[in-house]
């Protein structure tokens, strides 16, 4: 066919000339021409046609880049490669690798466990993860770095699903800062890092394959409010700061304010809407939604429960699943799990007793765990017993968000047989496990009843249990028998032997519980009482504290700008330089800076001729040592133990030695005459001498010296 436009022969079987793209088959397009008038011609050069075709194909994408309007917003949702993106904002309770379900096991201090299709359960890691994600054969998660031999206070780990190959990829020094792993998408981990109170919050990505970290955006400290809540979408990264909801372009790292003044306690982007929680003037959490252009704001749910303090929403299969809970810092937690449509319609209660929620593999998982006052060792037994009586549940989610009947996912009650151990979170450093935990042992009989309050014979051995159910060990029973580390009756050895050995190069002080707390009214739980045993005196309700001591070799290897963490007081210090001798601190000092305690001045000080540095601080009134609690319980003294008291004489301050028992009895008698309170007894002293160094050492205390 000869083209009428260019005069060349075209071998195309189509409607357009291959040379100039002129319309060849005129008769088939009469209507097309008639719309343009009798003399019009359609001339589309080849390059122009290509541009038009490309634009047609890319039109949705180009339009989305310019900004969605109307229904086009529906293409924008937060993304995650291993479960709903909003899971992380609800606590990342579960995770799936496509075969097994991984979960934080509440019955083992939230450590990482897995369950296969047959219901078999195995431990994966001894670390209790915060956020966790799965990618390409590994589970990536964040968790505390409590080992004093490992740098950093919080780290990014990875481990294989079978529990092998665990490694620490990144570690950060965090005291009051932030390291939050927000999501994993397209082979990249996105996180927010804020080193301390004054630092900017850095939005970063970590390429898992190349291990390259890229800083995407800095939120100045004055604009950062607790959390950024990263929502990674195909069209940008949404986050909030003090100015409102913003979108970050990952390619050029430019940001744009999407909704000015937006402020949420938590939010999730789903199909063009932001589902978020804000607090009313009365501090009531309210669940709302608003379109990404700031229009169509709507209240979805306002709780009627007077105790409501938080709402944690997850969006999945066009349904909202959200947990309403009380403030677990003030009371035992209460919680109700709800579901409704995306406009708040069809509201229904899923569970009237829940405090944890997660979604994976089209299943909704929830459980009740009371985290109120978990560091109070007086509540350990009650917390353990309640926890072991509450199963974890699940309900299958249909394609339209419908829920199947409730079923038990993990029930600890059938396992409540025989010996059970539990690592309670503690403020005391555990030298054997290198963590802030206290391990206690409990025993259930064949009917699932917890042994409590008294002696029980188990497999031919006698054990004594406290009234809260934990096995007594390394202490005296009420009838005067000393129980060893295994709970069996044995000869006396002080329970803090390992602690003193571990911190043998440190300066150890002892403090009565009542002295630490300084309560207005004493209770029977914190009063220190001196009890005479066959071999030793026992002084109850005491603490041992270790001063932070560092070797000269370690300290002098630090350069200005280097940081290190202080365990036990959760503090990160940065070296500012070497200062020489300081009269106030009475030693050769290394200057330090920190942001956790703005009114305190910290230094590392070395006295003349010493090869160790002590961490000291000035609170404006005096120089004090920085200490960490290493033991809580009874201290044991030899019968002739000496208490040295500072007394003022005409010649100055002198030390007056007195027998410990005499001092204790005299002190209590004086306090009874002064205040009428016989139980008042403050005790703060330095440990000067104790029995040690031999295999048969009892580690009872021989001599202490008054501090305050």
């Amino acid at each position: 066919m000869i083209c009428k436009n260019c005069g060349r022969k075209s071998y195309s079987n189509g409607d357009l000339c291959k040379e100039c793209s002129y319309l060849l088959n005129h008769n088939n397009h009469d209507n097309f021409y008639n719309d343009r008038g009798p003399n019009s011609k359609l001339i589309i050069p080849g390059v122009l046609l290509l541009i038009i075709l490309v634009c047609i194909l890319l039109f949705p994408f180009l339009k989305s880049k310019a900004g969605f309007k109307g229904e086009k917003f529906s293409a924008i949702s937060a993304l995650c490669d291993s479960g709903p993106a909003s899971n992380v904002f609800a606590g990342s309770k579960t995770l799936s690798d496509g075969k097994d379900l991984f979960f934080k096991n509440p019955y083992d201090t939230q450590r990482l466990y897995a369950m296969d299709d047959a219901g078999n359960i195995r431990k994966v890691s001894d670390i209790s993860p915060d956020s966790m994600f799965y990618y390409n054969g590994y589970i990536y998660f964040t968790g505390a770095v409590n080992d004093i031999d490992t740098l950093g206070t919080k780290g990014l780990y990875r481990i294989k699903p079978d529990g092998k190959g665990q490694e620490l990829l990144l570690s950060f020094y965090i005291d009051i800062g932030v390291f939050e792993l927000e999501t994993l998408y397209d082979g990249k981990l996105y996180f927010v890092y804020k080193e301390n109170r004054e630092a900017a919050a850095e939005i970063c990505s970590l390429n898992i394959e190349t291990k390259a970290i890229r800083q995407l955006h800095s939120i100045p400290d004055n604009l950062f409010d607790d959390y950024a809540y990263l929502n990674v979408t195909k069209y940008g990264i949404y986050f909030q700061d003090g100015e409102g909801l913003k979108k970050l372009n990952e390619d050029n790292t430019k940001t744009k304010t999407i909704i000015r003044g937006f402020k949420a306690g938590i939010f999730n982007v789903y199909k063009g809407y932001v589902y978020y929680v804000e607090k009313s003037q009365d501090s009531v959490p309210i669940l709302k939604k608003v379109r990404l252009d700031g229009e169509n704001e709507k209240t979805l749910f306002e709780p009627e429960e007077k105790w409501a303090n938080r709402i944690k929403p997850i969006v999945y299969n066009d349904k909202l699943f959200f947990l309403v809970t009380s403030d677990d810092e003030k009371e035992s937690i209460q919680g109700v799990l709800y579901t409704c449509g995306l406009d708040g319609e069809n509201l229904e209660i899923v569970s009237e007793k829940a405090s944890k929620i997660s979604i994976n593999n089209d299943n909704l998982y929830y459980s009740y765990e009371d985290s109120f006052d978990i560091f109070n060792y007086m509540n350990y037994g009650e917390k353990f017993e309640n926890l072991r009586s509450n199963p974890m549940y699940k309900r299958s989610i249909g394609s339209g968000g419908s829920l199947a009947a409730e079923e038990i996912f993990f029930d600890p009650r059938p396992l409540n047989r025989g010996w059970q151990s539990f690592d309670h979170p503690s403020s005391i450093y555990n030298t054997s496990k290198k963590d802030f935990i206290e391990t206690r042992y409990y025993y259930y009989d064949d009917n699932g009843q917890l042994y409590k309050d008294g002696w029980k014979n188990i497999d031919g051995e006698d054990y004594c249990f406290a009234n809260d159910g934990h096995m007594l060990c390394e202490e005296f029973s009420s009838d005067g028998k000393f129980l060893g580390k295994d709970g069996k009756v044995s000869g006396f050895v002080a329970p803090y032997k390992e602690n003193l050995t571990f911190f043998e190069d440190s300066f150890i002080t002892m403090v009565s519980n009542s002295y630490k707390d300084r309560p207005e009214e004493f209770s029977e739980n914190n009063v220190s009482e001196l009890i005479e045993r066959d071999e030793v005196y026992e002084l109850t309700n005491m603490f041992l504290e270790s001063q932070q001591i560092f070797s000269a070799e370690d300290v002098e290897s630090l350069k200005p700008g280097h940081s290190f963490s202080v365990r036990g007081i959760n503090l990160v210090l940065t070296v500012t330089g070497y200062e020489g001798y300081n009269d106030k601190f009475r030693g050769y000092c290394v200057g330090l800076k920190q942001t956790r305690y703005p009114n305190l001045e910290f230094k590392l000080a070395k006295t003349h001729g010493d090869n160790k540095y002590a961490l000291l601080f000035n609170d404006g009134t005096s120089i004090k040592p920085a200490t960490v609690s290493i033991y809580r319980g009874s201290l044991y003294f030899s019968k002739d133990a000496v208490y040295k008291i500072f007394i003022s004489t005409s010649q100055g301050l002198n030390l007056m030695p007195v027998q410990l028992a005499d001092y204790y009895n005299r002190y209590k008698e004086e306090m009874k005459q002064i205040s009428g309170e016989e139980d008042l007894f403050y005790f703060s002293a330095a440990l000067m001498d104790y029995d040690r160094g031999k295999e048969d050492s009892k580690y009872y205390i021989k001599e202490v010296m008054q501090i305050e």
Side-chain angles (χ1 to χ4, degrees), residues 86-324:
S86 46
N87 253 351
V88 67
F89 304 130
S92 293
K93 187 67 177 175
T94 63
L95 176 70
S96 174
D97 66 348
K99 296 185 297 183
D100 297 340
L101 186 81
F102 300 86
F103 63 98
K104 302 177 186 178
N105 188 351
Y107 317 114
D108 190 13
T109 326
Q110 305 297 331
R111 292 186 173 103
L112 183 58
Y113 275 65
M115 177 183 285
D116 61 22
D117 290 339
N120 300 311
I121 293 175
R122 67 180 187 276
K123 182 188 288 188
V124 178
S125 174
D126 278 324
I127 296 176
S128 302
D130 296 325
S131 304
M132 55 182 184
F133 304 94
Y134 174 80
Y135 179 78
N136 199 22
Y138 282 92
I139 298 169
Y140 293 83
F141 63 94
T142 52
V145 180
N146 285 321
D147 185 350
I148 61 175
D149 298 325
T150 302
L151 297 176
T153 56
K154 192 168 184 179
L156 171 64
Y157 299 84
R158 77 171 185 176
I159 192 170
K160 293 180 180 179
D162 60 4
K164 297 179 180 178
Q166 179 170 295
E167 57 182 316
L168 178 63
L169 301 177
L170 296 172
S171 63
F172 297 89
Y173 283 113
I174 302 290
D175 49 15
I176 57 169
V178 172
F179 173 47
E180 295 293 339
L181 189 60
E182 305 274 10
T183 193
L184 187 156
Y185 174 64
D186 196 24
K188 287 181 284 187
L189 288 162
Y190 294 84
F191 62 91
V192 176
Y193 171 60
K194 188 177 191 296
E195 183 177 6
N196 54 50
R197 188 193 305 272
E198 299 172 351
E202 309 292 346
I203 298 177
C204 303
S205 67
L206 168 64
N207 187 303
I208 292 176
E209 299 299 331
T210 65
K211 295 183 173 59
I213 296 177
R214 185 182 177 204
Q215 182 180 326
L216 302 175
H217 180 69
S218 292
I219 304 175
D221 174 62
N222 64 316
L223 294 180
F224 184 75
D225 187 15
D226 295 332
Y227 296 99
Y229 295 115
L230 302 187
N231 278 244
V232 178
T233 76
K234 290 182 179 179
Y235 309 104
I237 301 172
Y238 292 84
F239 68 95
Q240 72 170 5
D241 64 16
E243 295 177 341
L245 180 65
K246 294 184 176 181
K247 183 172 74 169
L248 167 66
N249 185 315
E250 189 172 356
D251 294 331
N252 59 25
T253 68
K254 292 183 178 180
T255 62
K256 177 182 179 181
T257 300
I258 303 300
I259 305 177
R260 188 168 298 278
F262 177 87
K263 182 177 176 60
I266 189 171
F267 76 90
N268 183 240
V269 176
Y270 184 77
K271 293 189 175 181
Y273 277 86
V274 185
Y275 294 85
Y276 67 102
V277 179
E278 72 172 16
K279 288 287 186 78
S280 69
Q281 292 183 346
D282 298 326
S283 295
V284 176
I286 302 173
L287 180 60
K288 293 185 173 183
K289 67 181 286 190
V290 65
R291 206 166 65 183
L292 275 172
D293 58 2
E295 298 179 2
N296 297 353
E297 183 183 62
K298 182 178 181 180
T299 296
L300 304 179
F301 177 82
E302 187 169 352
E304 296 180 355
E305 296 88 353
K306 293 182 179 180
W307 45 258
N309 180 262
R310 297 184 181 95
I311 296 178
K312 295 180 179 180
I314 297 180
V315 193
Y316 190 74
N317 281 6
D318 292 340
K319 290 288 289 289
L320 276 166
F321 303 89
F322 57 95
L323 192 61
V324 181

Side-chain angles (χ1 to χ4, degrees), residues 525-638:
N525 296 328
N526 62 19
V527 172
S528 294
E529 181 182 2
L530 192 68
I531 303 173
E532 184 174 2
R533 303 294 184 184
D534 290 340
E535 186 177 346
V536 293
Y537 281 121
E538 176 184 1
L539 187 60
T540 64
N541 289 315
M542 297 293 294
F543 284 82
L544 283 179
E545 297 186 336
S546 170
Q547 184 175 341
Q548 302 281 350
I549 302 292
F550 304 87
S551 71
E553 181 181 2
D554 288 341
V555 171
E556 290 166 6
S557 67
L558 296 172
K559 306 296 182 185
H562 284 183
S563 296
F564 63 96
S565 62
V566 181
R567 298 298 194 275
I569 54 177
N570 196 21
L571 179 67
V572 176
L573 297 161
T574 302
V575 175
T576 58
Y578 292 83
E579 302 177 345
Y581 190 83
N582 186 302
D583 290 331
K584 187 184 297 183
F585 283 82
R586 297 180 182 178
Y588 295 89
C589 290
V590 176
L592 303 169
K593 67 177 181 179
Q594 50 83 37
T595 60
R596 186 175 183 85
Y597 305 103
N599 298 323
L600 301 183
E601 177 188 17
F602 283 84
K603 293 186 187 299
L604 287 167
K606 181 179 72 168
T607 57
H608 182 71
D610 197 1
N611 64 345
K612 298 183 186 301
Y613 283 82
L615 180 62
L616 308 175
F617 67 90
N618 180 9
D619 64 0
T621 61
S622 62
I623 307 300
K624 295 181 173 65
T627 60
V628 56
S629 295
I630 62 172
Y631 172 79
R632 176 185 56 229
S634 292
L635 298 180
Y636 299 93
F637 299 79
S638 64

Side-chain angles (χ1 to χ4, degrees), residues 414-443:
L415 304 177
N416 292 343
R417 304 290 188 274
W419 287 107
Q420 301 289 337
S421 66
F422 193 80
D423 289 335
H424 296 276
S426 173
S427 59
I428 309 298
Y429 188 74
N430 188 317
T431 56
S432 60
K433 295 194 174 182
K434 295 186 177 182
D435 202 349
F436 288 92
I437 56 177
E438 180 178 337
T439 303
R440 287 192 172 183
Y441 297 89
Y442 303 84
Y443 190 87

Side-chain angles (χ1 to χ4, degrees), residues 12 19 41 80 137-138 153 241 290 403 405 484 491 525 544 662 664 676:
S12 172
E19 300 297 327
K41 293 183 179 180
C80 179
Y138 282 92
T153 56
D241 64 16
V290 65
L403 287 174
N525 296 328
L544 283 179
D662 293 340
Y664 173 83

